[in-house]
Amino acid sequence: MLTRNCLLLFLWILVEEGSVSSLRLPSSPPLGRSKTAREHTRSSAGPMRNGAAGFQRVKRGWVWNQFFVLEEYMGSDPQYVGKLHTDLDKGDSAVKYTLSGDGAGSIFTIDQTTGDIHALRSLDREEKPYYTLRAQAVDINTNRPLEPESEFVIKVQDINDNEPKFLEGPYTASVPEMSPVGTYVTQVTATDADDPTYGNSARVVYSILHGQPYFSVDPKTGVIKTALPNMDREVKEQYQVLIQAKDMGGQLGGLAGTTTVNITLSDVNDNPPRFSKSFFHLRVPESSAVGSAVGRIKAHDLDIGKNAEVEYTIVPGDGGAMFDITTNEHNQEGIIILKRPLDYETKKAYTFKVDASNAHLDPRFQSFGAFKDTATVKINVLDVDEPPVFNKPSYVMDVYEDTPAGTIIGAVTAQDLDASSSPVRYSIDWKSDLDSYFDIDPVEGTISTNELLDRESIAQHNISIVATKLNSPVLTSRVAVTVHVLDINEFPPELASPYETFVCENAKVGQVHLSQSKQRLCPLFEGVFHA
């Protein structure tokens, strides 16, 4: 472009100095000059004589082509555009040139005598790329047209005064981590307001100023792609890439614009869960309820979202049957659940293994190895101070009703199963005065009668025995004791009511007849009657 501008400037200097006297149009006229082109071959010697309308046929000679004016002209004098000249102009100042149309008089001015056109102010091609004007050559004395009015164009010649601009920036894009080289990320586009049909002022080339070696950009299309293999989100997630668009085909002296592209590596499941340690030691009270959470363990996964979801399973083996494990979906912890009651006195520790694996596997990365980890869990059962335990769930005792007071009728036994093995003391839970029939030895647990029992009054006694640990009186247990009172033969038979007997005088030996009426029965039977 610089060479072309220098050539134009050189031609203008020649014109200014009169070195170029005439330029003729050998080819088709510029935009809007069809009328001028048709009249280009017309010749006229001047206006027609005898007042006839029209023009004298002479050889037509407008001396100009399409004019160019440099935009953004910064000179102190008006910018020279070009010269209008007709062959009818013999240099005797008999011809006057006039100018009309776009910007005539305000932007462009013409020397009426010489036909020289100047631009009065700096022009911007991006504001208006060309101006359409009309030229007229008239007789300076009569002001009559010497030739038909002709239209021509002054084109604003582009200079590289606009840098490329990214209208949509800054950009945001994402690409999966571990993507192969050449994976599409996004496309950026810069626009240049300069003339794309002239020179390289609007020919944009893209390059990366910051963001290598991770990404590349196609210099022509602005397509950004990955340039480095195995980019790991867990190492670096965010990248800021600075893209430059430079005009003049990227050559020295071109104008440039930049934009930022914020690229995020999206997660893929390329990391298995990992326990922070291989051994977890938990302590659980033996009093823990079945179904309660007795401990938590956690395997960490460097991935995020679904790719970080962990499934825990207990490996079958010693101790595993006592527990279960579930996943807390909020923090991916493994929650150990008690399945069966614990008893410190029976088993003091359990050991088992737990596997942690991903719920959603990506087959592309299974070649990296097993996507799971294993840890050992040991659970120690803690002894809890528990109440005494009776050796039977309930007791039944029998006692005869004539048993003397103070007789032992049975015994209950309770033990402290804790490691401390505290002595046990017994007592009767007095619920009513009726329970005062019995007493219990506080050390031995033997039950005895306090007084004589009467089966005919109370056939069964229900009492409650309390066992208390000597070293912890608040820890008690109870058992029900049922006492059956057995009958003895202590009463002779008795008639239900007194009877009166009648014997007939003629009764035979061995014949007994009972009757309520002697007078009615005696004549019929022989023997004894009872009324």
Side-chain angles (χ1 to χ4, degrees):
M1 178 177 175
L2 183 59
T3 303
R4 180 170 180 176
N5 290 340
C6 289
L7 179 58
L8 289 173
L9 184 58
F10 177 71
L11 291 175
W12 290 333
I13 293 173
L14 292 179
V15 171
E16 287 282 5
E17 294 179 353
S19 299
V20 179
S21 60
S22 66
L23 293 173
R24 300 185 182 276
L25 284 175
S27 58
S28 60
L31 179 65
R33 292 187 57 219
S34 58
K35 180 179 179 182
T36 304
R38 288 194 302 269
E39 296 180 356
H40 184 66
T41 57
R42 185 194 308 171
S43 62
S44 175
M48 295 184 68
R49 302 290 195 274
N50 302 322
F55 301 93
Q56 182 181 359
R57 292 278 182 181
V58 296
K59 186 178 180 180
R60 170 78 181 277
W62 285 114
V63 186
W64 50 270
N65 201 335
Q66 185 177 31
F67 290 122
F68 293 92
V69 58
L70 284 176
E71 67 170 330
E72 306 295 346
Y73 174 73
M74 302 300 293
S76 58
D77 297 327
Q79 182 182 180
Y80 179 74
V81 179
K83 177 186 283 290
L84 295 179
H85 188 71
T86 177
D87 290 345
L88 298 179
D89 188 353
K90 304 305 182 181
D92 54 3
S93 301
V95 177
K96 181 175 71 172
Y97 297 94
T98 63
L99 195 65
S100 62
D102 286 348
S106 58
I107 300 176
F108 302 102
T109 183
I110 188 170
D111 188 306
Q112 295 184 351
T113 303
T114 64
D116 291 332
I117 301 175
H118 288 82
L120 298 176
R121 62 180 177 86
S122 177
L123 301 178
D124 186 358
R125 187 202 68 85
E126 287 70 45
E127 181 180 335
K128 187 172 177 66
Y130 64 88
Y131 295 82
T132 303
L133 296 100
R134 294 180 296 280
Q136 180 76 69
V138 300
D139 188 289
I140 196 170
N141 296 317
T142 64
N143 212 34
R144 294 183 61 184
L146 301 177
E147 289 192 8
E149 187 178 59
S150 183
E151 189 176 83
F152 66 98
V153 172
I154 296 178
K155 185 174 182 181
V156 181
Q157 182 66 59
D158 183 49
I159 64 170
N160 190 21
D161 61 338
N162 290 279
E163 75 278 5
K165 293 182 180 180
F166 293 92
L167 302 181
E168 298 179 7
Y171 294 81
T172 301
S174 66
V175 64
E177 62 174 330
M178 311 301 288
S179 294
V181 173
T183 300
Y184 175 89
V185 179
T186 189
Q187 184 176 18
V188 297
T189 302
T191 58
D192 195 309
D194 292 322
D195 189 354
T197 65
Y198 176 73
N200 291 327
S201 296
R203 184 172 167 237
V204 175
V205 172
Y206 300 94
S207 62
I208 287 186
L209 298 182
H210 177 73
Q212 294 174 324
Y214 307 103
F215 301 95
S216 65
V217 64
D218 188 290
K220 294 182 179 179
T221 63
V223 171
I224 300 174
K225 297 181 180 180
T226 58
L228 199 66
N230 301 325
M231 286 192 291
D232 193 350
R233 185 199 67 85
E234 289 71 41
V235 175
K236 183 176 174 63
E237 182 178 8
Q238 300 285 341
Y239 294 84
Q240 191 172 78
V241 179
L242 186 62
I243 301 295
Q244 175 183 267
K246 191 174 184 180
D247 60 18
M248 298 298 292
Q251 297 176 7
L252 185 65
L255 302 178
T258 60
T259 190
T260 300
V261 183
N262 296 307
I263 301 175
T264 302
L265 295 185
S266 58
D267 187 59
V268 299
N269 191 12
D270 60 335
N271 292 280
R274 288 285 182 260
F275 285 107
S276 58
K277 52 187 179 180
S278 60
F279 186 84
F280 291 86
H281 191 187
L282 305 175
R283 293 175 176 82
V284 181
E286 63 174 331
S287 59
S288 299
V290 173
S292 64
V294 297
R296 297 170 185 267
I297 61 175
K298 186 172 183 179
H300 298 270
D301 195 313
L302 296 177
D303 297 319
I304 57 176
K306 290 180 60 177
N307 297 325
E309 293 179 2
V310 181
E311 291 181 344
Y312 297 92
T313 55
I314 293 178
V315 179
D318 180 40
M322 289 289 295
F323 304 93
D324 198 359
I325 190 167
T326 61
T327 301
N328 184 330
E329 62 181 15
H330 298 293
N331 58 15
Q332 300 303 309
E333 283 185 334
I335 304 174
I336 299 176
I337 306 297
L338 182 63
K339 290 174 60 178
R340 300 177 183 177
L342 297 172
D343 185 6
Y344 173 82
E345 289 71 31
T346 303
K347 190 174 179 63
K348 296 178 174 58
Y350 298 88
T351 302
F352 52 90
K353 294 183 181 295
V354 175
D355 284 342
S357 59
N358 276 143
H360 307 281
L361 297 179
D362 192 327
R364 294 178 299 168
F365 305 105
Q366 291 185 3
S367 61
F368 289 6
F371 267 65
K372 70 176 183 178
D373 197 16
T374 303
T376 300
V377 178
K378 182 177 181 180
I379 295 180
N380 284 104
V381 181
L382 301 179
D383 186 29
V384 175
D385 206 8
E386 297 175 300
V389 177
F390 285 96
N391 61 355
K392 291 182 180 180
S394 62
Y395 293 85
V396 177
M397 301 177 183
D398 295 329
V399 58
Y400 284 100
E401 58 181 336
D402 64 345
T403 300
T407 302
I408 295 176
I409 62 174
V412 296
T413 302
Q415 292 178 324
D416 179 14
L417 299 181
D418 294 329
S420 61
S421 187
S422 170
V424 176
R425 294 293 180 262
Y426 305 94
S427 62
I428 293 178
D429 185 11
W430 303 107
K431 294 182 179 178
S432 69
D433 293 336
L434 297 177
D435 292 330
S436 61
Y437 283 101
F438 304 95
D439 199 1
I440 188 168
D441 188 287
V443 177
E444 301 298 331
T446 55
I447 299 174
S448 59
T449 59
N450 265 338
E451 52 186 282
L452 289 175
L453 303 177
D454 186 4
R455 188 197 67 82
E456 285 71 29
S457 298
I458 302 175
Q460 177 177 303
H461 294 266
N462 296 309
I463 59 177
S464 178
I465 305 299
V466 179
T468 304
K469 292 177 67 170
L470 187 61
N471 63 0
S472 183
V474 295
L475 294 176
T476 62
S477 57
R478 300 170 184 272
V479 71
V481 177
T482 302
V483 179
H484 296 289
V485 180
L486 303 180
D487 185 41
I488 62 172
N489 190 13
E490 57 182 326
F491 296 105
E494 292 183 356
L495 293 176
S497 60
Y499 291 88
E500 183 179 2
T501 305
F502 299 90
V503 179
C504 296
E505 60 181 349
N506 59 350
K508 294 180 179 181
V509 176
Q511 291 182 342
V512 178
H513 295 275
L514 300 178
S515 175
Q516 296 177 348
S517 175
K518 176 184 70 174
Q519 290 79 5
R520 182 171 56 87
L521 294 176
C522 284
L524 299 176
F525 298 97
E526 294 180 358
V528 179
F529 294 86
H530 297 279

